[in-house]
């Protein structure tokens, strides 16, 4: 039996909406691509939020992941039509609202749970990482994502009701993975963490107490700039490389590169079997419980990444305090605006004026130009 090349496929799953699934997929993928790893984002959520968050206009999506899953022959998939190049080493296989029909159309197909695995098998030579954004439910689309993946990240918002939902989520994923004989390494990622809020600290403590070493040794702090970046169709690294959100997702990317789950031959064989519609051997439900905790090297890389980002932020603050730099960045004009709120169109124009053009940043001079409807900008 053919063994697939090593492509780390990570499904980001949580039935609860608003916990940071899409934000995690987009920004973690962008950080991995920045580090030189060929990365594919696959959106199996009919809401198509990955396309929105990466600046892909839905009305220009002709082929989407649902069309590929419905195709009876993977060789017939039109890759250039379906795959969008977002940045260097970062691609997107988008979805549209029509993806919701796939669950109903495939409900009676004998291979309905491995359709996505077959599609991704076609791209196994082109990528190092594949991140799958799942819908906020456990249906056929999420089950396809689980059957295609060797790893699962469960983003958990450190807010009320999060703990109860995370327990049910992890138990359900474990049951599904065990039932289909899939060896899956599961991690819990705390998101929207605010150290100043007692509830956030309490939820973090409960997560660590219940999930133990399955909780990642880092968290994604609350940062409004993550939402701002998504509204402009940009990863956080492009929107603001000095933000807390970028620091945290860069640290997460570094951590995943050193915290690699063991890949015994049985697991590789099982992944090949999934792509050919066969069922692999079953693993014990908690066989990989001890894989999650990062090594000392991982923790050191996280500390270095954050220290570097903090130094960059301090440099940015010093630059912004310089009057000449303020004028160059348009900050002086912004400070002199009247208190009255401008019209919506004017607000948007001002945001775009701040976003596009030439900026002095802690890392050098940044040139930003809108891509409009172009597939590539050089």
């Amino acid at each position: 039996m053919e063994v697939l090349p090593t492509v780390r496929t990570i499904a980001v799953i949580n039935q609860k909406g608003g916990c940071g699934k899409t934000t995690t997929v987009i920004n973690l993928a962008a950080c991995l691509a920045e580090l030189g790893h060929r990365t594919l984002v696959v959106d199996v959520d009919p809401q198509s939020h990955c396309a929105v968050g990466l600046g892909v206009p839905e009305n220009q999506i002709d082929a989407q992941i649902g069309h590929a899953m419905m195709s009876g022959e993977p060789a017939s998939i039109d890759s250039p039509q379906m795959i969008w190049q977002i940045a260097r080493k970062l691609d997107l296989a988008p979805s549209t609202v029509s993806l919701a029909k796939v669950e109903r159309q495939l409900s009676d197909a004998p291979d309905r749970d491995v359709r996505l695995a077959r599609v991704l098998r076609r791209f196994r030579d082109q990528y190092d990482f594949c991140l799958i954004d799942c819908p906020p439910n456990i249906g056929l689309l999420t089950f396809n994502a689980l059957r295609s993946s060797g790893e699962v990240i469960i983003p958990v918002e450190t807010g009320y009701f999060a703990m109860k939902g995370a327990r049910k989520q992890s138990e359900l994923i474990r049951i599904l993975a065990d039932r289909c004989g899939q060896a899956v390494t599961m991690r819990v990622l705390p998101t929207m963490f605010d150290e100043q809020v007692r509830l956030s600290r309490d939820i973090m403590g409960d997560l660590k107490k219940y999930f133990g070493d399955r909780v990642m040794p880092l968290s994604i702090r609350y940062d409004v700039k993550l939402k701002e970046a998504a509204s402009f169709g940009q990863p956080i690294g492009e929107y603001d490389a000095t933000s807390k959100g970028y620091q945290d997702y860069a640290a997460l990317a570094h951590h995943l590169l050193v915290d690699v789950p063991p890949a015994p031959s049985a697991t590789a064989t099982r992944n090949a079997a999934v792509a050919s519609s066969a069922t692999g051997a079953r693993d014990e439900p908690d066989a990989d419980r001890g894989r999650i905790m990062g090594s000392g090297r991982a923790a050191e890389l996280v500390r270095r990444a954050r220290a570097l980002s903090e130094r960059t932020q301090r440099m940015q603050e010093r630059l912004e305090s310089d009057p000449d730099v303020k004028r160059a960045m348009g900050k002086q004009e912004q400070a002199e605006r009247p208190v009255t709120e401008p019209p919506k169109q004017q607000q948007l124009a001002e945001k775009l004026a701040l976003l596009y053009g030439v900026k002095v940043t802690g890392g050098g001079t940044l040139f930003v130009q809108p891509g409009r409807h172009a597939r590539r900008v050089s």
Side-chain angles (χ1 to χ4, degrees):
M1 182 179 293
E2 178 187 4
V3 177
L4 300 183
T6 303
V7 179
R8 287 184 66 179
T9 305
I10 304 173
V12 181
I13 301 175
N14 197 327
Q15 287 176 277
K16 183 180 181 299
C19 61
K21 288 191 303 293
T22 303
T23 300
T24 294
V25 169
I26 288 174
N27 293 298
L28 176 56
C31 288
L32 289 168
E34 278 184 16
L35 294 172
H37 300 278
R38 302 169 301 168
T39 306
L40 174 66
V41 170
V42 177
D43 192 355
V44 294
D45 185 349
Q47 297 176 93
S48 192
H49 285 169
C50 284
V52 174
L54 290 172
V56 175
E58 185 174 3
N59 60 4
Q60 293 190 27
I61 299 176
D62 297 322
Q64 47 106 349
I65 193 67
H67 298 147
M69 292 175 66
M70 290 299 299
S71 175
E73 178 53 54
S76 66
I77 298 172
D78 190 349
S79 303
Q81 280 288 95
M82 184 179 72
I83 303 297
W84 287 69
Q85 183 180 23
I86 304 301
R88 183 174 179 270
K89 295 186 180 293
L90 177 60
D91 291 346
L92 168 68
S95 68
T96 63
V97 67
S98 64
L99 181 61
K101 302 176 183 177
V102 170
E103 287 191 292
R104 183 177 69 255
Q105 293 170 339
L106 290 178
S107 60
D108 296 326
D111 61 345
R112 59 187 177 275
D113 59 334
V114 294
R115 288 296 185 99
L116 181 61
R118 284 190 181 151
V119 173
L120 298 184
R121 188 170 184 254
R122 176 172 172 79
F123 304 109
R124 65 186 183 274
D125 298 321
Q126 301 176 31
Y127 299 100
D128 305 308
F129 281 89
C130 175
L131 273 63
I132 307 176
D133 187 25
C134 299
N137 59 68
I138 301 294
L140 183 59
L141 293 172
T142 300
F143 196 45
N144 263 268
L146 183 61
R147 291 297 306 261
S148 306
S149 305
E151 302 171 57
V152 170
I153 291 178
I154 305 176
V156 178
E157 176 190 0
T158 50
Y160 197 55
F161 294 133
M163 185 65 199
K164 183 177 180 181
R167 289 182 179 181
K168 289 185 176 180
Q169 185 73 60
S170 65
E171 290 168 5
L172 182 56
I173 292 174
R174 182 66 62 185
I175 290 170
L176 292 175
D178 187 52
R179 182 177 299 168
C180 67
Q182 188 81 354
V184 174
T185 298
M186 191 186 313
R187 300 175 175 90
V188 173
L189 175 66
T191 60
M192 305 182 196
F193 178 65
D194 188 346
E195 192 174 4
Q196 304 301 318
V197 177
R198 181 176 177 179
L199 178 60
S200 283
R201 299 196 302 270
D202 290 345
I203 295 296
M204 179 71 82
D206 289 343
L207 287 173
K208 291 180 179 178
K209 183 177 180 180
Y210 182 80
F211 291 103
D213 56 10
R214 281 190 280 180
V215 178
M216 303 190 94
L218 48 83
S219 60
I220 306 301
R221 290 169 289 180
Y222 177 80
D223 187 358
V224 69
K225 289 183 181 291
L226 289 168
K227 293 183 179 180
E228 292 176 3
S231 70
F232 281 104
Q234 292 181 299
I236 186 63
E238 291 183 12
Y239 181 75
D240 188 347
T242 66
S243 64
K244 292 184 295 184
Y246 177 69
Q247 293 174 30
D248 293 343
Y249 279 112
L252 177 60
H254 279 283
H255 174 71
L256 286 179
L257 292 178
V258 295
D259 184 22
V260 181
S265 57
T267 301
T269 301
R270 180 162 43 251
N271 287 340
V274 167
S276 61
S277 209
T279 301
R282 294 164 65 92
D283 275 357
E284 291 300 321
D286 294 324
D288 62 328
R289 183 181 292 270
R291 298 178 184 173
I292 310 305
M293 197 63 180
S295 62
R297 185 184 172 199
E300 177 62 24
L301 281 173
V302 170
R303 285 193 295 272
R304 289 181 183 178
R306 282 193 170 159
L308 178 60
S309 295
E310 288 167 2
R311 287 197 298 271
T312 303
Q313 186 170 6
R314 288 195 296 270
M315 184 180 298
Q316 174 76 5
E317 290 169 354
R318 288 197 297 270
L319 285 170
E320 290 181 352
S321 65
D322 187 311
D324 293 331
V325 176
K326 278 187 178 181
R327 285 191 292 273
M329 298 177 68
K331 295 290 180 75
Q332 190 68 31
E333 179 184 350
Q334 184 182 18
E336 294 172 356
R337 287 177 191 150
V339 177
T340 55
E341 185 177 354
K344 293 289 185 181
Q345 290 184 344
Q346 183 180 345
Q347 290 183 38
L348 179 59
E350 289 169 355
K351 282 186 178 180
L352 292 174
L354 290 173
L355 179 64
Y356 296 120
V358 183
K359 295 181 182 179
V360 178
T361 72
T365 303
L366 174 66
F367 295 84
V368 182
Q369 171 66 27
R372 303 294 182 189
H373 302 307
R375 293 293 293 273
R376 292 185 181 180
V377 176
S378 301

